[in-house]
Amino acid sequence: MAMRLLAHEVSDICLGKPPLRSIPVSATLAHALSVLKRLRQNHISVWSCACHSSKTISDHDCRCIGKVSVVDVILFLCREENLSQPAVALQSYVSILIPEVPVVVRYLEPHASLVEAIDLLLEGAQNLVVPIQTKTSAKSRKKVLKEVAPFDCPLHNVLEYCWLTQEDIIRYLLNSIGLFCPTSITPINSLNAIDTANILAVHYDDPAFSALPLLSQAIIQQSSVAIVDSDGKLIGEISPLTMNSCDVTVTAAIATLSAGELMAYVDYGNPPEDLVHLIKDRLEERNLGALLDWVEEETPIFSCSSFYSSSSDDDSVSSWGSGGRLRRCSTRQVRSSEAAVCNPRSSLVAVMIQALARRVASMWVIEEDGALVGIITFSSMLKIFQEHLKSLR
């Protein structure tokens, strides 16, 4: 039974995955944000294609060079040189956010093995770009490609692609979790799965701005930044996933608030009125009038719950919106700064289920009294499965 799992191909995991949506490398950050809003996605793939500048089509004229998220744009706007001119910064090309190293997006053939996919993810890839195998003829796909606007190629290399993440692989392995007994029911503290060395944390009273370098690391590690009290107990977190659900005007809050105050600001999209006034006062004190004007005049590109809320007007609350006025936004399923936690004596399968249910790539490991022990990520889980699968070869 376990040997059969080794024979599984990446195409098996791709079944039912939607075609990958994309933007060209020539797109601006403002355009990327509008696409993310329209598609209600956390990330959008970025492609370098000849079809963006030419009508000629070849079989090798496109490559995925990276991905862009809302939090990437927020971090860019928080750079010192951009705080004074956010509107200008949003006209920058998305290429400015694509790092050369590490390579977070890797190409993988559909017939590649499950172990090959896990190996690439553990080498630092966050998204595996895989061609979707369809019955549509290459001739038909070329015809579609020629007829679309050159700025928005729906096909690349005359193919459609999807991408796989660590979450996809973990979810797939969960379907065969019985093959990994007794490892799957072993406590995570007995599997050496808890990372105690790479804990990214800031104190509750530290400036939120000081958490930005840690947040950049968290994006690479696919983890979060813990917010702790003076006793080292976990209070909450600043996570890439939470920031992805925010309006980019949260930049003003990050530039002026403490880590604890930022938690209150992002929670349920309902910052207290006194916090809103505090942000305005501090922006004026720091001579960031242009940022203040932008926040007050900009019609928000996102609502505070654009990715996770329903369209119903029920259960709505108020938050800071255009012109400094309060705007309405739904509280249903909105991400908050509440951290996903587990116990060091929890079994591996229990932690997997909890992380998948919360749609998070990492879980904080705490004791009963709230003391922070460490963090367990999808990466550390995949290492355990990788070792198990390779032992079967």
Side-chain angles (χ1 to χ4, degrees), residues 207-233:
F209 210 74
S210 67
L212 294 183
L214 299 181
L215 187 58
S216 295
Q217 291 182 50
I219 293 173
I220 296 171
Q221 297 175 13
Q222 300 195 70
S223 59
S224 298
V225 179
I227 299 178
V228 298
D229 64 14
S230 54
D231 297 321
K233 294 182 178 180

Side-chain angles (χ1 to χ4, degrees), residues 78-117:
C78 284
R79 294 180 186 178
E80 199 65 42
E81 66 271 21
N82 295 331
L83 285 174
S84 59
Q85 46 182 7
V88 174
L90 285 176
Q91 298 310 308
S92 303
Y93 294 119
V94 294
S95 56
I96 201 168
L97 300 182
I98 307 297
E100 293 183 7
V101 178
V103 180
V104 297
V105 173
R106 297 286 296 272
Y107 179 88
L108 195 60
E109 290 289 349
H111 56 71
S113 69
L114 174 62
V115 174
E116 287 178 89

Side-chain angles (χ1 to χ4, degrees), residues 177-249:
I177 198 63
L179 303 178
F180 297 95
C181 281
T183 302
S184 59
I185 57 174
T186 303
I188 55 175
N189 60 358
S190 299
L191 294 171
N192 296 320
I194 305 172
D195 187 349
T196 58
N198 299 306
I199 299 177
L200 306 175
V202 293
H203 189 270
Y204 184 88
D205 293 322
D206 289 342
F209 210 74
S210 67
L212 294 183
L214 299 181
L215 187 58
S216 295
Q217 291 182 50
I219 293 173
I220 296 171
Q221 297 175 13
Q222 300 195 70
S223 59
S224 298
V225 179
I227 299 178
V228 298
D229 64 14
S230 54
D231 297 321
K233 294 182 178 180
L234 184 67
I235 299 174
E237 68 176 8
I238 301 174
S239 74
L241 190 60
T242 300
M243 300 309 295
N244 266 331
S245 67
C246 289
D247 186 310
V248 287
T249 54

Side-chain angles (χ1 to χ4, degrees), residues 230-282:
S230 54
D231 297 321
K233 294 182 178 180
L234 184 67
I235 299 174
E237 68 176 8
I238 301 174
S239 74
L241 190 60
T242 300
M243 300 309 295
N244 266 331
S245 67
C246 289
D247 186 310
V248 287
T249 54
V250 74
T251 303
I254 296 172
T256 55
L257 301 179
S258 70
E261 290 167 338
L262 182 62
M263 285 175 54
Y265 183 88
V266 301
D267 273 352
Y268 305 105
N270 186 26
E273 190 174 344
D274 58 344
L275 205 54
V276 173
H277 289 303
L278 181 61
I279 293 172
K280 293 183 178 182
D281 292 342
R282 290 180 178 173

Side-chain angles (χ1 to χ4, degrees), residues 41-336:
Q41 293 185 358
N42 285 334
H43 301 89
I44 187 76
S45 64
V46 180
W47 289 71
S48 176
C49 293
C51 66
H52 295 146
S53 56
S54 168
K55 292 183 179 179
T56 356
I57 295 173
S58 72
D59 289 336
H60 304 284
D61 61 358
C62 280
R63 64 188 181 96
C64 182
I65 61 172
K67 62 179 182 176
V68 170
S69 67
V70 177
V71 70
D72 292 324
V73 179
I74 290 172
L75 288 173
F76 179 72
L77 292 177
C78 284
R79 294 180 186 178
E80 199 65 42
E81 66 271 21
N82 295 331
L83 285 174
S84 59
Q85 46 182 7
V88 174
L90 285 176
Q91 298 310 308
S92 303
Y93 294 119
V94 294
S95 56
I96 201 168
L97 300 182
I98 307 297
E100 293 183 7
V101 178
V103 180
V104 297
V105 173
R106 297 286 296 272
Y107 179 88
L108 195 60
E109 290 289 349
H111 56 71
S113 69
L114 174 62
V115 174
E116 287 178 89
I118 293 175
D119 287 346
L120 285 178
L121 291 171
L122 292 179
E123 287 171 8
Q126 294 182 5
N127 297 76
L128 304 178
V129 179
V130 184
I132 296 177
Q133 296 178 315
T134 65
K135 295 181 180 179
T136 307
S137 69
K139 184 177 180 180
S140 299
R141 290 195 294 267
K142 281 188 178 183
K143 182 179 179 182
V144 171
L145 186 56
K146 287 179 179 178
E147 291 175 350
V148 299
F151 188 69
D152 188 22
C153 294
L155 304 176
H156 303 290
N157 306 318
V158 204
L159 292 171
E160 285 185 329
Y161 292 81
C162 68
W163 63 16
L164 298 177
T165 64
Q166 291 182 352
E167 179 182 343
D168 293 319
I169 304 297
I170 290 290
R171 193 177 298 278
Y172 188 76
L173 290 171
L174 184 62
N175 292 330
S176 304
I177 198 63
L179 303 178
F180 297 95
C181 281
T183 302
S184 59
I185 57 174
T186 303
I188 55 175
N189 60 358
S190 299
L191 294 171
N192 296 320
I194 305 172
D195 187 349
T196 58
N198 299 306
I199 299 177
L200 306 175
V202 293
H203 189 270
Y204 184 88
D205 293 322
D206 289 342
F209 210 74
S210 67
L212 294 183
L214 299 181
L215 187 58
S216 295
Q217 291 182 50
I219 293 173
I220 296 171
Q221 297 175 13
Q222 300 195 70
S223 59
S224 298
V225 179
I227 299 178
V228 298
D229 64 14
S230 54
D231 297 321
K233 294 182 178 180
L234 184 67
I235 299 174
E237 68 176 8
I238 301 174
S239 74
L241 190 60
T242 300
M243 300 309 295
N244 266 331
S245 67
C246 289
D247 186 310
V248 287
T249 54
V250 74
T251 303
I254 296 172
T256 55
L257 301 179
S258 70
E261 290 167 338
L262 182 62
M263 285 175 54
Y265 183 88
V266 301
D267 273 352
Y268 305 105
N270 186 26
E273 190 174 344
D274 58 344
L275 205 54
V276 173
H277 289 303
L278 181 61
I279 293 172
K280 293 183 178 182
D281 292 342
R282 290 180 178 173
L283 287 175
E284 291 172 351
E285 289 172 8
R286 292 188 56 188
N287 295 318
L288 292 174
L291 179 56
L292 176 59
D293 292 342
W294 176 67
V295 170
E296 291 186 332
E297 295 174 4
E298 178 75 7
T299 300
I301 299 174
F302 297 95
S303 73
C304 60
S305 55
S306 59
F307 293 121
Y308 303 106
S309 67
S310 73
S311 59
S312 170
D313 292 331
D314 296 336
D315 303 322
S316 60
V317 294
S318 300
S319 66
W320 192 14
S322 177
R325 297 184 295 273
L326 296 178
R327 69 171 183 267
R328 308 288 287 181
C329 58
S330 172
T331 60
R332 292 182 179 177
Q333 299 178 334
V334 179
R335 297 288 181 184
S336 76

